[in-house]
Amino acid sequence: MNRTQPLVLGIESSCDETGVGIVRGTALLTNTVSSSMDEHVRFGGVIPEIASRAHLDAFVPTLEEALAEADVSLADIDAIAVTSGPGLAGALMVGVCAAKALAVATGKPLYAINHLVAHVGVGLLQQGGGTPSMQTPPRALPENMGALLVSGGHTEILRIRSITDDVELLGSTIDDAAGEAYDKVARLLGLGYPGGPAIDKLARTGNAKAIRFPRGLTQPKYMGTAEEPGPHRYDWSFSGLKTAVARCVEQFEARGEEVPVADIAAAFQEAVVDVITAKAVLACRENGITEVLLGGGVAANSRLRQLTEQRCSAAGIRLTVPPLPLCTDNGAMVAALGAQLVMAGVEPSGIGFAPDSSMPVTTVSA
């Protein structure tokens, strides 16, 4: 097996995207994704059984498309990587079983990897473009590296000493993730699913200062000080914000007034991104993190990208933001982390592992 520039096939099926990506070392060859999101819209959220069935239908065509686009065959592949957690149990099972079948059929080594750490690994792929403050992702993991992961199921700030075996959780949400809050608030405002893109678009026409919504876990009793940190200094909470939006809508309706949907969307979004970026930058500064990667599906949010860039720049922190297609769940990020494991000489997982829907972010590979 080529351990210097391994050709790795990555499989992602943790939620509603069936992703197959292929990388050679840190070079991205293809990122092919089939989404079942349209099948979930009428339910207002992802239905696990529908997602699992969609993965079954989409996997082989997605794999074939990825191999064709990369102009490689399964025989050329050095290793296979698959998301083994966290995620929806049934959806994970489809991807894991497919990966095991491929590994057995081809004799290729199989790596079971962490979906969340993969969001960091994708930042190590070679990409072009970017503004000066959102630099081209590095080919090797820099020192003093951190990651801010913001998605439908997770909101976390990490310190990464080694992407293959040393990931530390500094802070996380204690209830709803940011993406969940977006979906729930969008439902309150009649914007449909998925909520993130709808709110982001509408917020551009609203006044974010029209309403002041709470910033969870920012009171002194939770924050403490750098010398004596509080119990939730780097943590987030969005359930109270969701409730505040609901009460706000109810008050307008009770008075018989038109609900200012755009203003509420803008004010809500500002409350989310304000507290996320403030706490993330605080965690970076107090833990010696000088380079941070923004990843996860909500990293596609325009205001989050903008404010994270501004605050990182002001704090002297170098920010890396992957291209939009690589922020959401995809097979390329799985392949990218798999390649890092191969290049680091980590032994394959074999086929005896089981999917772990609650895999902690500190576990890089099963």
Side-chain angles (χ1 to χ4, degrees):
M1 179 169 57
N2 183 347
R3 287 192 177 274
T4 56
Q5 292 291 317
L7 186 64
V8 180
L9 183 146
I11 298 169
E12 157 62 23
S13 69
S14 65
C15 191
D16 60 341
E17 282 98 4
T18 307
V20 177
I22 301 175
V23 306
R24 190 185 301 278
T26 58
L28 175 62
L29 302 186
T30 183
N31 178 37
T32 306
V33 178
S34 174
S35 176
S36 62
M37 182 177 292
D38 290 345
E39 299 180 46
H40 305 281
V41 169
R42 64 192 179 101
F43 300 103
V46 175
I47 305 301
E49 181 63 22
I50 292 177
S52 300
R53 291 178 179 178
H55 289 309
L56 283 170
D57 292 337
F59 178 72
V60 171
T62 305
L63 173 64
E64 291 175 340
E65 182 180 345
L67 291 170
E69 185 172 319
D71 194 23
V72 299
S73 68
L74 285 175
D76 298 324
I77 298 295
D78 290 310
I80 299 169
V82 63
T83 294
S84 62
L88 301 175
L92 288 169
M93 183 66 73
V94 175
V96 167
C97 288
K100 288 182 178 181
L102 284 176
V104 170
T106 62
K108 306 297 182 180
L110 177 61
Y111 289 82
I113 63 96
N114 189 303
H115 170 89
L116 298 178
V117 184
H119 274 298
V120 181
V122 78
L124 303 181
L125 293 176
Q126 295 169 273
Q127 298 290 335
T131 63
S133 55
M134 298 167 73
Q135 298 287 336
T136 300
R139 295 180 63 180
L141 188 72
E143 295 181 0
N144 305 317
M145 180 74 179
L148 173 60
L149 302 183
V150 190
S151 70
H154 303 272
T155 305
E156 300 174 335
I157 181 72
L158 312 173
R159 174 162 53 191
I160 303 162
R161 295 186 179 90
S162 168
I163 197 170
T164 59
D165 61 12
D166 193 350
V167 176
E168 179 185 0
L169 179 64
L170 298 178
S172 65
T173 179
I174 65 171
D175 42 55
D176 287 348
E180 290 176 302
Y182 267 91
D183 287 339
K184 292 176 180 178
V185 167
R187 194 175 302 124
L188 288 170
L189 299 178
L191 300 179
Y193 175 85
I199 289 179
D200 190 19
K201 181 179 179 180
L202 185 61
R204 297 169 193 166
T205 66
N207 178 9
K209 297 181 179 179
I211 304 165
R212 173 73 181 184
F213 286 126
R215 274 66 168 163
L217 300 183
T218 57
Q219 300 91 331
K221 65 179 180 179
Y222 298 122
M223 294 294 294
T225 64
E227 293 73 23
E228 297 184 16
H232 296 294
R233 187 167 179 81
Y234 306 141
D235 293 332
W236 295 277
S237 171
F238 299 106
S239 62
L241 172 59
K242 174 201 65 181
T243 302
V245 173
R247 298 293 86 80
C248 177
V249 171
E250 289 172 358
Q251 289 169 9
F252 278 103
E253 292 175 340
R255 295 193 297 266
E257 300 176 9
E258 182 179 352
V259 177
V261 178
D263 288 348
I264 293 176
F268 161 76
Q269 176 160 276
E270 195 65 21
V272 172
V273 302
D274 179 27
V275 71
I276 286 178
T277 55
K279 288 204 168 198
V281 169
L282 177 66
C284 289
R285 294 177 62 180
E286 293 184 350
N287 288 275
I289 294 171
T290 57
E291 308 212 15
V292 67
L293 176 124
L294 175 62
V298 184
N301 180 275
S302 63
R303 180 57 180 151
L304 178 62
R305 294 165 76 94
Q306 179 186 51
L307 192 56
T308 305
E309 181 183 1
Q310 291 173 355
R311 288 183 167 173
C312 282
S313 178
I317 299 169
R318 183 179 182 274
L319 176 66
T320 294
V321 185
L324 290 178
L326 297 181
C327 289
T328 52
D329 296 345
N330 61 83
M333 68 184 197
V334 179
L337 180 54
Q340 292 292 322
L341 293 170
V342 172
M343 290 187 288
V346 175
E347 289 299 311
S349 305
I351 61 171
F353 68 92
D356 182 356
S357 60
S358 57
M359 178 183 284
V361 70
T362 51
T363 300
V364 178
S365 177

